[in-house]
Amino acid sequence: MIIHFKKPRHWPDAYLYHWNATPWAESPAWPGAKMDPEHGDWYRLELAGQETANLVFNDGAGSQTVDLRWRLAEGWCVEGELWETDPDRLRHFAFPGGKLKALVLSFDDGSEQDRHLIERFDAHGLKGTFHINSGLTEGPGKVHAADIATVYAGHEVSGHSTTHPFLDSLAEERLESEILGDIRALERWVGYPVRGLAYPFGVSHPALERLLPEWGLIYGRLVGDTHDFRLPGNPLLWRPSAHQTQALELSRHFLALAPEEPSLFFVWGHSWEINDHQPNNHWGYIEEFCAMMGHRTDIWYAGAAEVAEYLAAIRAVRFSADGHRVYNPSALPVFLRQGGGIVELAPGKTFDLAP
């Protein structure tokens, strides 16, 4: 395994401690092996012969990251996100239309209050992603199955499991009925492929990182807010920016941002939580947020699946060895930042970069 790590700037050095490796290997003494500097704040270390391992990065002086499980032959870690491609490559790209900002609004449970929320979104040109439990749609306070296609028209319908269990407590054989069963039901109701889900209670299952791609799913949303505008290293373990109760404050920072690379504001929540007697979680607060964020020419308003599909497309872009050409093998156009402007690179096309 080749491991690249972007250390926080205040760390003097970067060390890597590992354990529980396969094939088995003895763990080093703390703080682990000192990593080799690459460029800027990037450091590198190779664990020869290892396929997986638990890792923690640290500075050798008391500061460290969270524990991570590494399964990549070569990968990059920055701000706790694991990447299969160098995240610095993203600086070469923009979102569709050449925009550098995107907004995803992700709401769970299929509550009847989604109807009112969608009215606010539609009035301000916003797009929502709504995560629905197909086995609970006939319960009280839920949008019924027969109404889902109509209520959520123009927005993205996404999975949330069939019955909203704690997935980490389930045997692996039950995951298919809870996740894939949910997706199949939703697809029958909405008439288009459902590409992802929000994990119920924000908790995944270790097997899902393997199973979701086999089932054609490209993202899974966790909880555990980042409070920033990063892109996901692994969209199957996607952490949002903020809960709805913190969205308005963070939106001011997002609007003031002058990004030099694609930046994503990802808000999550539940419409049933909105209560006119709660600060930072009433309909006036939601209306203020929507009015502030809506109808802006510099923001791409997208569903979570659209963002995940676009990120997969730009990760698939290939640069020539000499760095003078770029090829788009995906089925989506990608937008390349070049010479102070934007180039739309069509599917299957090659572009000659300025020397």
Side-chain angles (χ1 to χ4, degrees), residues 105-109 131 221 242-244 267-273:
L105 302 171
S106 173
F107 285 79
D108 300 353
D109 295 348
H131 309 279
R221 198 210 74 214
H243 182 263
Q244 65 197 50
V267 178
W268 75 281
H270 309 87
S271 64
W272 56 260
E273 289 184 274

Side-chain angles (χ1 to χ4, degrees), residues 244-291:
Q244 65 197 50
T245 54
Q246 300 170 314
L248 188 58
E249 179 182 356
L250 201 56
S251 68
R252 297 185 177 97
H253 296 286
F254 186 65
L255 295 180
L257 191 67
E260 297 182 356
E261 59 188 60
S263 298
L264 171 67
F265 188 14
F266 193 137
V267 178
W268 75 281
H270 309 87
S271 64
W272 56 260
E273 289 184 274
I274 302 170
N275 185 317
D276 282 335
H277 301 291
Q278 294 181 5
N280 294 352
N281 205 18
H282 53 81
W283 285 109
Y285 173 92
I286 297 298
E287 172 64 26
E288 184 178 357
F289 169 81
C290 292

